[in-house]
Amino acid sequence: MPAHITHQIFAEEVIKKAFPRKGEEFYKDHEKLISFAAQGPDIFYHNRKSRPYCFKYGKIVHSSGYGTLVGYMIRYALSLGKTWNSDMGAFIIGFSTHAILDRKTHPFIIYFSGWVEPGRKATRKFYRCHPFFERVLDVLTLKRRKGVEVKNYNFFSYMKGRFLETEIPELLLFSLQNTYPDLKNPAINMHCLKNVYSDALRFYKLTDPTTTESQIRAYNREGKKPPVRLLSLFHPHDLPRNIDFLNLSLKEWKNPFDENEKHTDSFDNLFDQSLEEAAVVAVMVKETMEGKISVDRVVEHIGDSNLSDGKAAAGRQPSFSDPLPLWELMELNYHYLEKKR
Ligand SMILES: [Zn+2]
């Protein structure tokens, strides 16, 4: 699944496409909330420090129930009389974009980054190539779609907003409790949702691409032999030009879970296809909040299938890949920091 900068840029483009007349202004008015909402359930993955935490909700929401969850968000907003262009409406629209981009691009990311198979030594080098590739895609998406170099992009400044002063934590709590009513351990509550936000902020600050200080600190913590490859969580500032990270050559690749599903799309193509789909969803959310269509129609349209590829059964293992030399790039970064020490 793409990383945070790609999701943020995607949500912005979805809104401008879905609402050609008002999108620009709507986005500007709610930029921080939408940037945060666009992260979808990924925010839970950063909640590893502050207890009680609800880290597991990252996996749970990615596995099933996304359409239902957005449906409960809309119902909650409507019960409070919120309009589509309120803070809450903006959050729901931003949140809905996440699923569409994840489902469309995740197979591409797995195929080109590979994975570690227990007991197979040769696959060890793929450790953490997946999150690193997501950061590579962030760097290239930012450059190609906004013309900005990652080292000049202060992502953290978009996240540090008034999230906790809004009614969004209540919205999330209501929707999660209703979508996953049987989940007791961990049970979701307001305290852990606040921890989710503060831990996510800490993570974005720590991995701020405008400084290499945290990278050097992470490197020093790990030592020369990278056991956990912390550097995979940082955006590389320089990328070699001779590696086709985006598959611009349109070479054939497969859904790693399904050899019969073949593609020749580049990452840009997948982004554009997702844009079309998510713009339709954004308009549907708006129209539902205006009472023009039923909540059930949006729920059905988004669907409850997983965000991995929208169809693979939970727990199914990927089988097909053609990994890019991402481990080599990570190694280069370790060597580079070793010299800077
Ligand atoms: Zn995700």
Side-chain angles (χ1 to χ4, degrees):
M1 292 142 194
H4 38 289
I5 297 178
T6 307
H7 272 298
Q8 180 198 28
I9 294 170
F10 182 69
E12 178 181 358
E13 289 199 28
V14 169
I15 284 165
K16 291 178 181 171
K17 189 172 191 71
F19 315 119
R21 284 193 306 117
K22 292 188 174 162
E24 192 93 33
E25 196 187 332
F26 175 66
Y27 184 76
K28 264 219 150 61
D29 287 349
H30 304 281
E31 189 173 35
K32 288 189 172 183
L33 263 185
I34 293 169
S35 299
F36 186 62
Q39 306 310 316
D42 293 359
I43 53 171
F44 293 106
Y45 288 141
H46 310 312
N47 180 215
R48 293 172 188 246
K49 277 225 176 322
S50 316
R51 283 167 188 268
Y53 49 62
C54 33
F55 173 75
K56 280 187 186 168
Y57 274 81
K59 196 163 179 222
I60 289 164
V61 180
H62 276 95
S63 299
S64 71
Y66 212 90
T68 301
L69 182 65
V70 173
Y72 276 116
M73 287 184 178
I74 297 173
R75 287 191 182 97
Y76 185 79
L78 290 177
S79 74
L80 299 180
K82 303 289 181 189
T83 58
W84 73 275
N85 55 3
S86 62
D87 279 351
M88 210 173 261
F91 185 88
I92 299 169
I93 290 172
F95 194 89
S96 70
T97 65
H98 188 95
I100 315 299
L101 188 65
D102 266 6
R103 283 181 186 141
K104 187 70 92 182
T105 59
H106 198 224
F108 178 97
I109 295 170
I110 303 179
Y111 186 84
F112 287 112
S113 53
W115 58 89
V116 179
E117 278 177 38
R120 278 193 60 201
K121 235 179 170 179
T123 64
R124 270 193 213 158
K125 63 185 177 191
F126 300 131
Y127 183 57
R128 288 215 161 169
C129 283
H130 186 123
F132 183 65
F133 188 37
E134 292 169 344
R135 268 106 195 132
V136 169
L137 294 172
D138 262 3
V139 171
L140 295 170
T141 302
L142 183 64
K143 179 76 185 154
R144 290 168 73 81
R145 311 221 49 130
K146 288 179 91 74
V148 177
E149 298 286 343
V150 79
K151 61 174 185 271
N152 300 323
Y153 196 65
N154 189 348
F155 179 80
F156 175 68
S157 68
Y158 293 97
M159 292 294 128
K160 201 173 176 325
R162 51 193 182 86
F163 172 74
L164 294 179
E165 296 158 31
T166 64
E167 294 155 298
I168 305 301
E170 285 85 355
L171 169 85
L172 277 173
L173 185 61
F174 172 86
S175 316
L176 288 163
Q177 279 175 334
N178 280 286
T179 307
Y180 309 101
D182 300 329
L183 281 178
K184 300 279 181 284
N185 191 20
I188 196 93
N189 59 43
M190 196 55 87
H191 192 172
C192 81
L193 276 177
K194 288 180 177 170
N195 289 341
V196 165
Y197 182 63
S198 58
D199 276 358
L201 272 194
R202 184 182 295 123
F203 175 78
Y204 298 134
K205 184 151 181 64
L206 191 77
T207 55
D208 172 13
T210 63
T211 164
T212 50
E213 268 170 46
S214 300
Q215 275 200 59
I216 293 171
R217 254 204 312 274
Y219 174 81
N220 286 338
R221 242 179 74 194
E222 268 193 87
K224 241 191 281 180
K225 285 229 152 81
V228 287
R229 281 190 172 157
L230 279 177
L231 292 188
S232 62
L233 300 175
F234 293 86
H235 294 90
H237 284 188
D238 297 305
L239 288 172
R241 285 169 190 270
N242 59 344
I243 299 177
D244 189 9
F245 295 107
L246 301 170
N247 195 33
L248 298 176
S249 59
L250 308 179
K251 149 180 136 174
E252 187 177 281
W253 55 277
K254 290 176 195 161
N255 180 334
F257 300 97
D258 180 359
E259 70 174 316
N260 296 317
E261 188 190 311
K262 293 175 181 154
H263 301 265
T264 51
D265 295 298
S266 66
F267 186 76
D268 287 356
N269 294 149
L270 297 175
F271 191 100
D272 288 337
Q273 290 161 18
S274 312
L275 205 54
E276 298 287 335
E277 284 182 31
V280 172
V281 171
V283 170
M284 284 180 85
V285 172
K286 172 180 177 281
E287 291 185 345
T288 309
M289 293 189 73
E290 290 171 332
K292 291 181 184 162
I293 55 175
S294 72
V295 178
D296 288 344
R297 264 190 65 194
V298 185
V299 172
E300 205 181 305
H301 190 90
I302 296 175
D304 280 346
S305 59
N306 71 53
L307 306 194
S308 186
D309 70 347
K311 59 181 185 182
R316 207 165 133 206
Q317 290 305 309
S319 307
F320 311 101
S321 68
D322 184 12
L324 293 160
L326 296 155
W327 70 93
E328 289 176 13
L329 278 181
M330 273 195 278
E331 290 297 314
L332 279 178
N333 203 8
Y334 275 92
H335 289 311
Y336 169 75
L337 288 173
E338 168 66 9
K339 274 192 246 148
K340 283 194 104 175
R341 218 138 80 113

